[in-house]
């Protein structure tokens, strides 16, 4: 199927420069350790809503945040290739349009996946209980969700390619309230009623809750089901919008 | 190989609707080298982008390599090489990698792609740059890489959109040497756009002149110049009154026009000036006119454009 092979092709092209920049890899390894070292000690002193270790609660939320912020802004990397002719060059080949987008998205997500694995392994001696299968399912859901958000971001980059400021403004004014309303950093159970109700209308909330449940070792529960549904719907909608935008674009 | 019927394209802008291409008809046969010539904004690139499936047409129909552009875009994409106006290589990607990926995107196998990439690196004198990042290449090198990318899958038809714009004269000549050699070797159909007059004149076998979204002329450069411009004979006389006699004589020349006596200098436009000149000079001699200097100026495609539109392409190029 050309979608799959072109996804790999696009991923292969994009990952090349990443693999060659050592500072990028070093930064990628250090970043999650900073969160663990500088934020988690503070967190353990806070009264959290649920029971269990603070790490068990915080690590999945942080991963959702990393995935959201990375993928929402990754259209920026496409802008440069939109302004030059290199994206257009691929559009003049038979390469699958969704494949081109998803391959690019995976290039952004691959380092995050490695960061997440490092984070889990490093946090384990500090009290993170390991539930390997549920945790891997959690990471897979994050990847699916990330592909969707990245595709929306590519669509936005194409729509705003002549105005970099517009891309930045729209992507941030969407992602910031989503993140704050998703209960990523602090439990929404502590929020006033109106804020709690608002958070129930945020799809990200369900993904965050599903990730937390998976990190507690749950798999076959409605919470995980809702989160998985959100991830899949975001991916389908994102790829559809991204592909249509590419096809209609007059670059 | 390329056929277009009544192709139009309109764009909606804040100030209203712009008709970029208005009823374009064209036919290009196998192995032809055709140039779209026209000022910036004439609709050349828009037309090429529609023929290469990158932009949907507003109305009309086109087929490229026997496939309908709107209904079978994927088949068209496999037939064509496309070298766009802007740099096609990614700045942080390596030269050889870009070529191999391009081959893969054009459905070549990994080993075929590698072999062809090496072949093209040699053909376009890029071997020494194969493992460099593309953004470290000079303008001329980047352009050669763009052509190599377009040639990866050995397409039947190559589209070149302003291939030499922004290159210095040496790089331009070098790029053209490569393109013309590859064409001789493969016999591929080449369709290019340019606003360089000399490029259209010397490289293309057929020139389609575009202006305001319409094709206003379509012929070989020689015929366009003969029919739409003509040669200019210029004379300088020894004394002033003689230009009036020259004007009388010139009026009897076949197809003479633009007869312009002006002080001691005189000019007239005719077809095939080199052949007319001896007769003209003999006739003037018989009327006792003393000629100081005589010359024939061959027309350029700019004269063609000037005669068609009343504007010079050169002014346009500079203004844009």
């Amino acid at each position: 199927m050309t979608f799959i092979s072109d996804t790999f092709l696009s991923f292969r092209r994009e990952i090349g420069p990443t693999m060659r920049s050592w500072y990028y890899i070093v930064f990628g390894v250090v970043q999650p350790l900073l969160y663990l070292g500088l934020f988690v000690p503070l967190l353990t002193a806070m009264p959290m809503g649920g029971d269990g270790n603070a790490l068990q609660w915080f690590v999945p939320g942080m991963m959702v945040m990393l995935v959201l912020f990375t993928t929402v802004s990754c259209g920026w990397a496409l802008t440069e290739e939109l302004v030059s002719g290199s994206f257009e060059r691929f559009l003049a080949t038979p390469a699958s349009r969704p494949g081109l987008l998803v391959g690019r998205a995976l290039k952004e997500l691959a380092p995050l996946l490695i960061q997440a694995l490092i984070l889990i392994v490093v946090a384990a001696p500090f009290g993170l209980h390991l539930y390997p299968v549920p945790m891997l399912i959690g990471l897979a859901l994050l990847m699916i969700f990330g592909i969707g958000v990245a595709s929306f971001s590519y669509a936005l980059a194409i729509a705003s390619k002549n105005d970099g400021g517009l891309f930045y403004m729209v992507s941030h004014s969407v992602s910031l309230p989503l993140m704050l309303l998703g209960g990523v950093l602090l439990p929404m159970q502590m929020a006033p009623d109106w804020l709690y109700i608002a958070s129930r209308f945020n799809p990200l909330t369900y993904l965050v809750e599903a990730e937390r449940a998976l990190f507690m070792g749950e798999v076959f529960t409605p919470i995980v089901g809702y989160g998985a549904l959100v991830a899949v719907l975001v991916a389908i909608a994102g790829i559809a919008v991204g592909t249509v935008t590419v096809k209609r674009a007059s670059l | 190989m390329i056929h277009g019927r009544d192709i139009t394209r309109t764009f909606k802008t804040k100030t209203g609707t712009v008709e970029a291409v208005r009823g374009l008809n064209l036919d290009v046969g196998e192995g032809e080298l055709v140039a779209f010539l026209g000022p910036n904004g004439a609709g050349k690139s828009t037309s090429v982008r529609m023929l290469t499936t990158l932009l949907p047409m507003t109305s009309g129909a086109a087929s490229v390599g026997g496939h309908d552009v709107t209904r079978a875009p994927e088949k068209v994409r496999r037939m064509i090489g496309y070298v766009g106006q802007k740099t096609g290589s990614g700045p942080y990607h390596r030269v050889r990698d870009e070529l191999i990926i391009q081959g893969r995107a054009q459905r070549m196998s990994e080993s075929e792609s590698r072999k062809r990439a090496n072949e093209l690196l040699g053909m376009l004198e890029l071997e020494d740059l194969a493992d460099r990042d593309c953004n470290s290449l000079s303008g001329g090198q980047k352009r050669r890489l763009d052509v190599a990318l377009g040639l990866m899958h050995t397409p039947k038809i190559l589209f070149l959109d302003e291939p030499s714009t922004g290159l210095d004269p040496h790089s331009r000549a070098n790029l053209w040497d490569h393109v013309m050699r590859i064409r001789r070797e493969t016999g591929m159909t080449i369709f290019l756009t340019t606003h360089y007059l000399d490029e259209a004149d010397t490289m293309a076998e057929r020139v389609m002149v575009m202006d305001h979204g319409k094709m206003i002329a379509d012929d070989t450069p020689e015929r366009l110049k003969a029919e739409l411009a003509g040669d200019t004979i210029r004379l300088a006389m020894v004394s002033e009154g003689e230009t009036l006699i020259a004007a009388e004589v010139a009026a009897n020349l076949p197809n003479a026009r633009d007869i312009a006596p002006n002080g001691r200098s005189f000019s007239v436009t005719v077809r095939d000036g080199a052949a007319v000149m001896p007769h003209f000079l003999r006739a003037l001699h018989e009327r006792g006119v003393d000629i100081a200097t005589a010359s024939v100026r061959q027309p350029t495609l700019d004269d063609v454009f000037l005669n068609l539109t009343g504007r010079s392409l050169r002014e346009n190029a500079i203004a844009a």
Side-chain angles (χ1 to χ4, degrees):
Chain A
M1 199 173 147
T2 61
F3 167 68
I4 307 279
S5 61
D6 287 335
T7 298
F8 277 114
L9 186 67
S10 171
F11 175 76
R12 170 181 159 191
R13 174 175 188 257
E14 303 310 325
I15 203 75
T18 307
M19 299 297 282
R20 285 196 292 271
S21 59
W22 61 269
Y23 45 88
Y24 183 89
I25 293 169
V26 169
F27 175 76
V29 172
V30 168
Q31 193 187 25
L33 302 183
L34 287 176
Y35 276 101
L36 272 183
L38 304 180
F39 191 68
V40 171
L42 179 69
L43 197 68
T44 46
M46 298 278 283
M48 307 313 282
D51 40 35
N53 188 305
L55 279 171
Q56 222 75 30
W57 188 90
F58 174 71
V59 168
M62 198 188 84
M63 286 177 181
V64 173
M65 188 182 75
L66 279 178
V67 167
L68 178 67
F69 278 176
T70 305
T71 51
V72 90
S73 54
C74 71
W76 185 249
L78 184 63
T79 309
E80 191 173 6
E81 295 205 43
L82 288 172
V83 173
S84 84
S86 66
F87 191 66
E88 186 186 73
R89 169 164 65 85
F90 283 101
L91 296 184
T93 73
S96 149
R97 276 55 181 153
L100 290 175
L101 293 182
V102 174
R104 278 180 171 269
L106 287 177
K107 173 255 172 178
E108 307 289 339
L109 290 164
L112 289 181
L113 187 64
I114 291 165
Q115 284 187 355
L117 291 171
I118 292 172
L119 198 64
I120 290 170
V121 170
V122 172
F126 296 95
L128 183 76
H129 293 291
L130 296 185
Y131 301 99
V133 172
M135 282 176 169
L136 286 176
I137 294 172
L139 293 179
L141 285 188
L142 276 181
M143 296 296 113
I144 293 169
F145 172 75
I147 288 171
V149 178
S151 301
F152 276 119
S153 182
Y154 293 134
L156 177 63
I158 292 168
S160 65
K161 80 173 174 92
N162 296 319
D163 187 352
L166 185 68
F167 176 83
Y168 186 81
M169 203 186 72
V170 174
S171 61
H172 276 68
S173 53
V174 170
S175 59
L176 192 63
L178 276 182
M179 187 207 71
L180 293 175
L181 270 180
V184 166
L185 294 175
L186 290 168
M188 270 297 155
Q189 284 75 12
M190 291 160 67
D193 283 349
W194 65 268
L195 192 60
Y196 178 78
I197 291 164
S199 79
R200 302 319 293 170
F201 288 96
N202 178 4
L204 195 69
T205 305
Y206 298 92
L207 182 67
V208 173
E209 286 177 348
E211 291 293 332
R212 289 198 174 123
L214 286 161
F215 269 65
M216 296 297 287
E218 290 176 26
V219 177
F220 298 104
T221 61
I223 289 181
V224 175
Y226 289 137
L229 188 66
V230 164
V232 170
L233 288 180
V234 167
I236 291 172
I239 293 172
V241 169
T243 305
V244 168
T245 312
V246 168
K247 284 187 177 160
R248 289 214 185 132
S250 48
L251 298 175
Chain B
M1 287 301 254
I2 306 172
H3 303 284
R5 287 291 165 267
D6 302 317
I7 301 173
T8 66
R9 174 71 208 195
T10 54
F11 291 103
K12 290 199 179 74
T13 65
K14 280 170 196 160
T15 48
T17 309
V18 178
E19 292 180 77
V21 176
R22 305 186 289 172
L24 179 69
N25 289 292
L26 79 170
D27 294 283
V28 177
E30 187 167 356
E32 274 197 279
L33 199 175
V34 176
F36 255 157
L37 175 71
N40 289 324
K44 308 186 296 286
S45 284
T46 307
S47 303
V48 167
R49 293 169 50 76
M50 288 190 284
L51 294 172
T52 52
T53 77
L54 292 168
L55 189 71
M57 298 174 226
T58 305
S59 68
S63 76
V64 172
H67 301 291
D68 188 277
V69 170
T70 312
R71 272 172 295 172
E74 296 214 3
K75 287 185 177 150
V76 171
R77 288 170 193 145
R78 294 187 74 149
M79 301 283 297
I80 60 165
Y82 171 71
V83 178
Q85 226 174 77
K86 290 181 262 176
T87 306
S89 54
Y92 314 113
H93 301 82
R94 299 241 162 117
V95 171
R96 188 197 308 273
D97 293 351
E98 284 288 67
L99 287 166
I100 294 169
I101 299 276
Q102 174 77 14
R104 301 288 285 149
Q106 282 288 4
R107 310 297 183 229
M108 295 163 74
S109 74
E110 184 74 22
S111 62
E112 274 175 339
S113 293
R114 285 186 183 278
K115 201 168 143 241
R116 178 70 173 155
N118 285 334
E119 213 173 281
L120 285 169
L121 286 169
M123 268 160 77
L124 288 153
E125 295 176 84
L126 293 164
E127 297 112 321
D128 299 342
L129 310 167
D131 297 313
R132 295 242 306 254
D133 282 3
C134 297
N135 63 1
S136 70
L137 270 52
S138 73
Q141 292 166 340
K142 273 185 195 157
R143 222 51 189 131
R144 292 210 301 277
L145 174 56
D146 288 339
V147 172
L149 287 163
L151 291 172
M152 262 310 278
H153 60 301
T154 331
K156 283 240 159 62
I157 308 167
L158 183 67
F159 286 90
L160 300 164
D161 196 358
E162 307 261 356
S164 58
T165 298
L167 295 185
D168 60 82
H170 175 75
S171 302
R172 269 177 75 185
N174 177 274
L175 180 74
W176 275 112
D177 283 348
H178 286 301
V179 171
M180 295 311 257
R181 183 168 45 81
I182 290 162
R183 177 175 182 245
R184 272 198 308 278
E185 288 164 9
T186 63
M188 76 172 87
T189 308
I190 299 185
F191 192 99
L192 72 110
T193 75
T194 182
H195 61 248
Y196 288 125
L197 296 152
D198 54 334
E199 203 163 272
D201 202 343
T202 55
M203 302 301 167
E205 289 155 2
R206 187 140 73 89
V207 174
M208 299 177 176
V209 183
M210 275 201 91
D211 192 39
H212 295 308
K214 282 191 167 164
M215 197 198 291
I216 52 176
D218 172 9
D219 215 328
T220 64
E222 293 72 30
R223 285 227 286 275
L224 285 175
K225 286 185 286 192
E227 278 161 31
L228 293 163
D231 298 341
T232 304
I233 295 178
R234 288 175 196 282
L235 303 176
M237 314 297 183
V238 174
S239 55
E240 277 199 20
E242 293 180 328
T243 50
L244 295 175
I245 304 171
E248 262 173 54
V249 175
N252 293 323
L253 294 173
N255 298 310
R257 56 193 169 84
D258 298 333
I259 298 170
N262 181 17
R264 266 188 233 169
S265 63
F266 171 84
S267 69
V268 59
T269 302
V270 295
R271 238 188 225 206
D272 200 1
V276 169
M277 180 75 116
H279 300 288
F280 186 38
L281 291 182
R282 199 177 311 123
L284 288 172
H285 184 72
E286 281 164 10
R287 300 280 303 260
V289 175
D290 279 334
I291 311 291
T293 66
S295 66
V296 178
R297 191 180 72 88
Q298 308 250 316
T300 64
L301 286 176
D302 196 31
D303 298 311
V304 172
F305 192 79
L306 187 70
N307 278 319
L308 284 166
T309 66
R311 304 189 322 276
S312 165
L313 252 179
R314 286 217 167 73
E315 287 162 22
N316 273 298
I318 291 162

